[in-house]
């Protein structure tokens, strides 16, 4: 079977493998060193520029050479902490070591204030962003609020302007969220890669299950047709040899078709045909001189339910021949609202054989499959002595094999929503700082300049939020190039 499978050109697709391959020969996503390395490089560059800008402020303030060297050492320590510890994937951020590192960072952020004063105003952003990473949410946001409030107070005292203090406070909050997002970037990429690996393993397991189910359904279908044929041939062998020979010939044909089905089972999912199953059951039972009444009334059913009903039909026909001397039988399929029910009723049941009927491997396997779909299977004698096999299944319980699992879909939506909310918040805060700076720089009498600048900033923010920041946007398209050109013009107009 494996050699035949390898000759098929359409088997070289994701999720399938040769049957002779060992179980550990699965093809899973390779590690993502490029993405992870790039993320860590971007984080390191951004934080390096952030600390380098602080160093330039210190130098510009006229500090002596020893003070500048001390600032270099402190900023190097802060950079190392942020890049090599807090931003490193796999770091346990809720550990005692992380709390100690956070305390060390707080000391490195606030002690230099005594020396560098307003040149050190941006550094509390590192502490606030790291607090969001390390501390529980309530404590973290409380600390961030205290840091922003202290920064506003600090700059207001130094500059004597409340607007300056508000501007610096908003900037610190924006940078804090940026620090948090950048520090989480490499970790999120590592988690994403791990999640993709788990999804790949789940896909392999699902493909194995699909292959097993298809093999069971297709081979079981043919074998279930063989069983009643053999039973019928045995019963008519002595009184009608010609008919027995005819049934044996059909059994040989069924066996050949079973071989063809097994060879093609890996080509994809093949659903069990309900109409074909009903015709086969009617034909087999009629050939055994059983009066059959087949009544199937239903709307469009999901593939798993159709396949299950078809299997129940075949199993029911097989058991009628095997466990009874039936003269009449009825098959009734009904769909009422969100529920489908199938009743198979026959006479001639031997009460002594009913227990064996219920305990049969076919009925037991069917009961398990029905249970997986949230349904129920019952089998037993009615008060009038007829045997009834009844299956009820809710239609909504049928899973969609092509749909992603609810857990992964919910987690994906949650992560995407959080990332968009964080990015949107940072962009809005940056808009607010730019707005305040423009109003601070432009004269109060320059009304036209303020209106034009505000319009340009608003348009820039709208384009960034509604297009470039949206997931799954095709960035290398004519539309994106056009909007990038518009953003360039909007960014340059206020310079006039």
């Amino acid at each position: 079977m494996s050699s035949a499978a390898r000759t098929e050109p359409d088997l070289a697709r994701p999720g399938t493998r040769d049957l002779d391959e060992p179980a550990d020969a699965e093809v899973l996503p390779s590690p993502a060193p490029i993405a992870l390395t790039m993320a860590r490089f971007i984080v390191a560059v951004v934080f390096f520029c952030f600390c380098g800008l602080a160093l330039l402020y210190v130098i510009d303030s006229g500090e002596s050479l020893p003070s500048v060297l001390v600032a270099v050492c402190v900023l190097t320590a802060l950079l190392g902490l942020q890049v090599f510890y807090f931003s490193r994937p796999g770091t346990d951020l809720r550990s005692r070591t992380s709390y100690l590192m956070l305390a060390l960072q707080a000391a490195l952020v606030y002690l230099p204030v005594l020396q560098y004063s307003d040149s050190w105003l941006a550094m509390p952003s590192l502490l606030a962003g790291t607090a969001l990473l390390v501390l529980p949410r309530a404590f973290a946001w409380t600390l961030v609020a205290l840091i922003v409030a202290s920064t506003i107070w600090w700059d207001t005292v130094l500059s004597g302007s409340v607007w300056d203090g508000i501007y610096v406070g908003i900037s610190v909050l924006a940078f804090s969220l940026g620090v948090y997002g950048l520090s989480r970037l490499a970790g999120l990429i590592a988690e994403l890669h791990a999640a993709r690996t788990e999804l790949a393993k789940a896909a392999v397991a699902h493909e194995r299950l699909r292959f097993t189910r298809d093999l069971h359904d297709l081979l079981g279908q043919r074998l279930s047709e063989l069983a009643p044929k053999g039973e019928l041939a045995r019963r008519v062998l002595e009184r009608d040899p010609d008919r027995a020979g005819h049934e044996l010939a059909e059994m040989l044909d069924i066996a050949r078709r079973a071989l063809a089905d097994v060879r093609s089972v890996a080509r994809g999912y093949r659903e069990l045909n309900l109409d074909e199953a009903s015709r086969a059951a009617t034909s087999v039972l009629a050939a055994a001189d059983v009066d059959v009444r087949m009544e199937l009334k239903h709307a469009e059913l999901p593939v798993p339910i159709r396949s299950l009903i078809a299997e129940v039909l075949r199993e029911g026909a097989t058991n009628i021949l095997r466990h009874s001397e039936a003269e009449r039988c009825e098959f009734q399929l009904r769909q009422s609202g969100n529920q489908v029910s199938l009743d198979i009723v026959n006479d001639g049941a031997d009460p002594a054989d009913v227990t064996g009927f219920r305990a049969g491997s076919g009925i037991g396997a069917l009961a398990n499959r029905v249970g997986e779909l949230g349904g129920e299977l019952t089998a037993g004698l009615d008060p009038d002595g007829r045997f009834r096999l009844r299956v009820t299944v809710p239609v909504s319980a049928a899973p969609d094999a092509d749909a992603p699992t609810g857990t992964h879909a919910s987690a994906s939506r949650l992560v995407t929503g959080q990332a968009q909310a964080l990015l949107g918040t940072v962009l809005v805060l940056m808009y607010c700082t730019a707005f305040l700076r423009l109003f601070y720089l432009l004269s109060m009498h320059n009304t036209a300049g303020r209106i034009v600048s505000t319009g340009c900033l608003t348009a820039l923010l709208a384009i960034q939020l509604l297009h470039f920041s949206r997931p799954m946007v095709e960035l290398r398209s004519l539309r994106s190039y056009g909007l990038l050109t518009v953003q360039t013009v909007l960014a340059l107009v206020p310079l006039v």
Side-chain angles (χ1 to χ4, degrees), residues 161 163-164 167 432-447 449-450 453-454 457 494-496:
S161 171
W163 288 111
D164 274 357
Y167 169 80
C432 293
T433 57
F435 179 81
L436 289 174
R437 187 166 183 81
L438 278 172
F439 267 61
Y440 178 77
L441 292 175
L442 292 175
S443 170
M444 185 175 296
H445 302 289
N446 190 358
T447 305
R450 289 187 172 187
S453 300
T454 302
L457 281 174
L495 293 178
V496 177

Side-chain angles (χ1 to χ4, degrees), residues 132 179 210 435 465:
L132 292 174
V179 168
R210 182 203 64 80
F435 179 81
L465 288 176

Side-chain angles (χ1 to χ4, degrees), residues 193 268 382 470 484:
H193 176 64
D382 283 347
R470 288 174 53 201
L484 181 61

Side-chain angles (χ1 to χ4, degrees), residues 199-428:
L199 285 174
K201 291 180 179 179
V204 171
H206 176 76
E207 183 65 17
R208 286 176 173 171
L209 182 62
R210 182 203 64 80
F211 186 89
T212 304
R213 184 180 64 246
D214 287 355
L215 187 61
H216 171 272
D217 289 344
L218 292 175
L219 191 56
Q221 169 190 352
R222 300 308 179 192
L223 293 180
S224 65
E225 293 177 14
L226 283 173
K229 291 285 186 182
E231 185 70 23
L232 180 60
R234 182 185 65 81
R235 292 171 61 175
V236 302
L237 181 60
E238 295 181 359
R239 67 184 185 195
D240 193 349
D242 292 337
R243 185 164 180 187
H246 175 72
E247 296 298 332
L248 289 174
E250 288 193 358
M251 290 174 63
L252 181 60
D253 180 63
I254 292 172
R256 287 171 177 164
R257 282 185 286 155
L259 178 61
D261 285 339
V262 170
R263 284 176 174 173
S264 64
V265 69
R267 293 182 183 178
Y269 184 80
R270 174 182 170 184
E271 68 173 275
L272 296 175
N273 191 290
L274 182 54
D275 294 333
E276 180 185 340
S278 63
R279 288 194 297 268
T282 301
S283 174
V284 168
L285 291 172
D289 296 326
V290 178
D291 184 15
V292 182
R293 180 187 173 191
M294 185 76 66
E295 185 179 353
L296 306 179
K297 294 183 178 180
H298 61 89
E300 184 66 23
L301 297 174
V303 171
I305 292 182
R306 288 202 305 268
S307 299
L308 177 63
I309 296 298
E311 189 173 355
V312 173
L313 279 171
R314 295 192 185 96
E315 188 66 29
T318 301
N319 280 287
I320 288 174
L321 290 174
R322 183 179 299 166
H323 297 283
S324 69
E325 297 292 335
E327 296 181 358
R328 292 177 57 86
C329 68
E330 299 177 2
F331 294 80
Q332 290 187 339
L333 179 62
R334 295 280 192 274
Q335 182 174 357
S336 177
N338 195 38
Q339 183 168 279
V340 175
S341 62
L342 173 65
D343 286 275
I344 303 176
V345 184
N346 64 274
D347 58 7
D350 184 0
D353 204 18
V354 169
T355 303
F357 186 5
R358 275 187 271 183
S361 59
I363 294 296
L366 283 179
N368 291 334
R369 290 198 61 188
V370 172
E372 290 175 0
L373 292 179
E376 182 182 8
L377 182 147
T378 58
L381 290 175
D382 283 347
D384 59 4
R386 297 191 304 170
F387 187 86
R388 180 182 297 272
L389 174 65
R390 180 178 177 83
V391 171
T392 58
V393 183
V395 177
S396 61
D400 184 358
D402 297 326
T405 59
T407 301
H408 293 306
S410 300
S412 176
R413 287 194 296 268
L414 179 62
V415 172
T416 302
Q418 290 177 344
Q420 284 188 282
L422 179 62
L423 178 60
T425 304
V426 172
L427 290 174
V428 169

